[in-house]
Amino acid sequence: MTKAPTRLWGGRFEGGPSEALARLSVSVQFDWRLAPYDLLGSRAHARVLNRAGLLTDDELTRMLGALDDLEQACKSGEFRPTVADEDVHTALERGLLERLGALGGKLRAGRSRNDQVATDLRLYLRDHVRTIVSRLVELETALIGQAEANMGVACPGMTHLQHAQPVLFSHQLLAHVHALTRDVSRLRDWDKRASVSPLGSGALAGSSLPLDPQAVAAELGFDSAAANSMDAVSDRDFAAEFLFVAALIGVHLSRLGEELVLWASTEFRWIEMDDTYATGSSIMPQKKNPDVAELARGKSGRLIGHLVALLTTLKGLPLTYNRDLQEDKEGAFDAVETLLLVLPAVSGLIATMRVNTERLEALAPQGFALATDLAELLVRRGVAFRDAHEVVGHLVVWCQVNDKDFDDLTDEELSTVSPHLTPDVREVLNVPGAIASRKAYGGTAPERVQEQLDTLRAMANDHADWAAGA
């Protein structure tokens, strides 16, 4: 005789769901990864039922033993969901019933899949956010390491991808670190808001049983229990906010990836990628392709898509739970896995790349990148910036027409363009002096960049401590 499938509903139905409905409804193929968190919640719920007098001490002992055994069976692969299991909750109840018989059915009292899944997803994301922060710390550290190793190396600073002003290459590397520190800050801030337990909210209205949601919240590591049971089971702000942060991390990785692609090109030749973080061509033997950087750039679209998909799902839902919310998990799972896949690869690429310092130094003044320094010198001498801008602009045009750079100009040629351009203006027409002059807070002067290095290294250490639970 074929055993009837375990279902958490069906008492008022005379028959089972159609095959089409069953196939549409099933989610166990992706929500099975919530099993450890569902079991964690089940242990806490069993203890609450015991304190409420709904499980005897002996029943609690047997219940906890069965849950421990089920967890081990899940880890080893001995117990797996089947095609007949609708979701992770159904599969785990089946496993509990196999171990405890009727006693296993007592665990369902006072809770619903609605508050279970909201709790499980919060637990999953809060757990994995710490791992994501660990990987972000590795990328921060790799960028800081390259900035430290190349301290003092000048490069072209760009706007519109055109040479603008010389900067320290370390300053540019650390700009990416600042973006990553904001990502970590957002994740830590997100964790505070996500630290609310929905368990005890039941389907939507709480429970008439004498349960203790606050005790369950504390046992599961949440700061508090949800104050409104309807909000608790319908809220997916925490998932949408996580996906926003994940998407923004993706954008930051994409921007870094774009620069790495450019830097590694024949036209730029700022860096050379290590062979272990590059690929070749199946037809062109000379090629070294920046696949890591390109994939980091490409994965950002995937992360942005998950955010848009969830927001679109949520925008028209009435309170409280609706089955549309089944769509909240796959994007969140994929975002976690995508970040944990991409971040180590980008960190490795950064840590192992070789910087062509001679090339950077040679390019730093090109494109008349010292023009702003010359204009500001005239301002310090009392010339209105509007006039100084015009003078230096004319000088650039004169140089282009006569195929000369600033270094090639004679005293007579300078004065031909403007009487303001006396021979001593050459004091600012050098890269080290230009960079050293940018010493206001946040500037590219060596002492300011060193301050950034020290601050960001301390922040990375703090991020690592948080990720480790310290």
Side-chain angles (χ1 to χ4, degrees):
M1 181 178 178
T2 303
K3 185 178 178 182
T6 303
R7 283 206 299 269
L8 304 188
W9 55 275
R12 59 95 61 213
F13 290 81
E14 294 183 0
S18 68
E19 181 182 354
L21 172 58
R23 291 177 62 187
L24 177 63
S25 298
V26 68
S27 61
V28 73
Q29 72 273 21
F30 56 81
D31 67 19
W32 179 243
R33 71 196 71 194
L34 295 177
Y37 307 98
D38 202 74
L39 289 165
L40 198 64
S42 290
R43 291 190 188 92
H45 188 64
R47 293 188 181 97
V48 163
L49 291 176
N50 171 251
R51 290 195 291 272
L54 300 172
L55 283 179
T56 67
D57 290 346
D58 177 66
E59 287 175 330
L60 175 63
T61 300
R62 291 169 57 200
M63 184 78 75
L64 294 176
L67 289 169
D68 289 344
D69 181 73
L70 181 55
E71 181 173 43
Q72 290 303 314
C74 291
K75 288 179 179 178
S76 68
E78 178 188 343
F79 181 85
R80 301 290 300 168
T82 71
V83 293
D85 293 320
E86 185 177 3
D87 52 33
V88 60
H89 319 293
T90 306
L92 291 176
E93 180 162 309
R94 173 173 60 81
L96 197 60
L97 292 172
E98 289 171 358
R99 286 159 173 77
L100 292 177
L103 174 58
K106 285 193 171 186
L107 191 60
R108 203 194 301 176
R111 69 176 184 176
S112 161
R113 286 186 295 181
N114 295 0
D115 61 346
Q116 277 183 264
V117 72
T119 303
D120 293 352
L121 187 55
R122 285 176 187 254
L123 289 169
Y124 169 89
L125 289 176
R126 294 190 70 213
D127 188 16
H128 284 78
V129 154
R130 304 248 173 189
T131 307
I132 291 170
V133 169
S134 294
R135 301 292 83 81
L136 285 168
V137 169
E138 291 171 0
L139 182 51
E140 289 174 333
T141 303
L143 286 162
I144 290 169
Q146 286 286 7
E148 200 164 42
N150 293 282
M151 188 66 179
V153 176
C155 75
M158 297 188 179
T159 63
H160 306 278
L161 207 57
Q162 305 293 314
H163 287 220
Q165 294 176 267
V167 297
L168 290 182
F169 187 51
S170 299
H171 193 55
Q172 180 152 356
L173 292 172
L174 295 180
H176 290 288
V177 182
H178 282 285
L180 297 173
T181 64
R182 293 192 297 272
D183 292 328
V184 174
S185 177
R186 273 183 281 268
L187 287 173
R188 293 176 68 168
D189 193 46
W190 168 89
D191 185 67
K192 295 174 185 176
R193 280 186 294 282
S195 189
V196 177
S197 171
L199 208 58
S201 298
L204 80 160
S207 176
S208 64
L209 300 176
L211 306 180
D212 189 350
Q214 292 283 20
V216 171
E219 182 172 340
L220 295 178
F222 290 108
D223 291 339
S224 65
N228 184 296
S229 60
M230 295 181 73
D231 177 58
V233 298
S234 61
D235 167 44
R236 291 300 183 274
D237 288 4
F238 71 95
E241 188 178 352
F242 167 76
L243 288 176
F244 167 74
V245 180
L248 196 51
I249 294 172
V251 169
H252 292 152
L253 290 173
S254 180
R255 296 186 73 186
L256 175 58
E258 171 68 8
E259 294 209 324
L260 290 166
V261 169
L262 290 171
W263 296 348
S265 68
T266 302
E267 289 71 22
F268 273 69
R269 288 186 287 119
W270 288 18
I271 64 168
E272 182 179 352
M273 298 168 295
D274 190 83
D275 288 354
T276 56
Y277 287 95
T279 65
S281 165
S282 61
I283 188 172
M284 294 167 285
Q286 83 282 8
K287 292 293 295 298
K288 181 184 277 192
N289 296 326
D291 285 16
V292 169
E294 291 173 342
L295 286 168
R297 191 174 58 188
K299 295 287 187 183
S300 63
R302 185 184 190 118
L303 293 166
I304 294 167
H306 293 320
L307 171 63
V308 173
L310 181 58
L311 291 175
T312 304
T313 296
L314 295 176
K315 71 176 184 62
L317 295 186
L319 295 178
T320 53
Y321 183 84
N322 299 272
R323 195 59 179 270
D324 312 51
L325 292 176
Q326 183 170 299
E327 295 298 308
D328 65 350
K329 287 174 282 300
E330 287 181 278
F333 295 152
D334 186 74
V336 167
E337 291 168 2
T338 296
L339 290 175
L340 296 181
L341 185 67
V342 173
L343 284 166
V346 177
S347 298
L349 172 58
I350 294 291
T352 59
M353 72 182 186
R354 292 177 290 282
V355 179
N356 188 345
T357 56
E358 292 183 4
R359 171 77 172 166
L360 288 174
E361 294 276 8
L363 290 173
Q366 290 187 12
F368 306 102
L370 297 168
T372 305
D373 296 273
L374 181 54
E376 290 180 346
L377 174 64
L378 298 183
V379 169
R380 290 196 295 273
R381 293 179 174 180
V383 179
F385 185 78
R386 179 182 179 85
D387 296 332
H389 191 285
E390 289 289 321
V391 167
V392 177
H394 290 317
L395 179 63
V396 169
V397 172
W398 192 95
C399 287
Q400 289 174 326
V401 169
N402 292 277
D403 195 24
K404 290 195 173 188
D405 206 338
F406 287 161
D407 289 342
D408 305 322
L409 297 172
T410 66
D411 293 352
E412 182 180 355
E413 288 169 337
L414 285 170
S415 62
T416 297
V417 174
S418 171
H420 292 299
L421 297 176
T422 54
D424 57 352
V425 298
R426 289 191 180 87
E427 70 185 59
V428 299
L429 295 180
N430 67 87
V431 171
I435 289 176
S437 71
R438 309 281 172 193
K439 57 187 178 181
Y441 184 77
T444 193
E447 61 265 37
R448 297 287 83 85
V449 175
Q450 186 61 54
E451 288 172 356
Q452 288 183 68
L453 268 171
D454 297 340
T455 300
L456 291 171
R457 190 173 290 283
M459 291 178 71
N461 290 335
D462 178 63
H463 297 164
D465 289 342
W466 184 85

